[in-house]
Amino acid sequence: VQCTGCYFLISGVRATLAFNVGYVGAVSTFTYNYRTSVQTVQFVSTTTSQIAVNGNTATFSGQGKLNGQAGYSFSVIAKDGGGVGSGLDTVSITITGPNNYSYSVNGTIAGGDIVVKQ
């Protein structure tokens, strides 16, 4: 499961993401960045503990750091809707952590390409 150069817009602000996820135990990466004048969400995965692929949809989850602080969990659902530039790839991201922190976002990729292979 790969997403390179991916981004989508949240109220006109660019949210960037990238992932390269193989099988559990392989070196996998997931990053997500979104910044406004009132909110910064910079997430980097440290481990990926679950990966599932069903057709053109992949689900993966694990742990990571939010704004440099450890102790957060993430889950991602990525759908490969077609070739590069088709405007049909979608992603849903949830990040949870200490003190009942919860952040979720979903959208259609405006740039880049999600590729899901079994």
Side-chain angles (χ1 to χ4, degrees):
V1 182
Q2 294 180 321
C3 184
T4 53
C6 291
Y7 72 92
F8 57 97
L9 301 176
I10 303 171
S11 300
V13 177
R14 184 182 287 219
T16 61
L17 63 145
F19 49 82
N20 186 354
V21 178
Y23 54 90
V24 172
V27 175
S28 297
T29 58
F30 164 62
T31 61
Y32 174 78
N33 293 288
Y34 174 70
R35 181 184 300 233
T36 67
S37 60
V38 296
Q39 183 180 35
T40 297
V41 180
Q42 293 180 306
F43 187 85
V44 177
S45 66
T46 54
T47 61
T48 301
S49 53
Q50 294 182 334
I51 303 166
V53 175
N54 184 4
N56 65 341
T57 302
T59 304
F60 57 96
S61 59
Q63 293 72 45
K65 293 181 178 182
L66 178 68
N67 301 332
Q69 300 297 311
Y72 291 82
S73 298
F74 75 93
S75 63
V76 174
I77 301 170
K79 181 178 178 186
D80 182 353
V84 176
S86 67
L88 300 174
D89 292 349
T90 60
V91 66
S92 176
I93 300 166
T94 301
I95 301 169
T96 58
N99 302 315
N100 295 317
Y101 179 86
S102 182
Y103 175 88
S104 14
V105 65
N106 58 65
T108 301
I109 300 299
D113 188 33
I114 293 174
V115 177
V116 175
K117 295 180 184 177
Q118 286 194 352

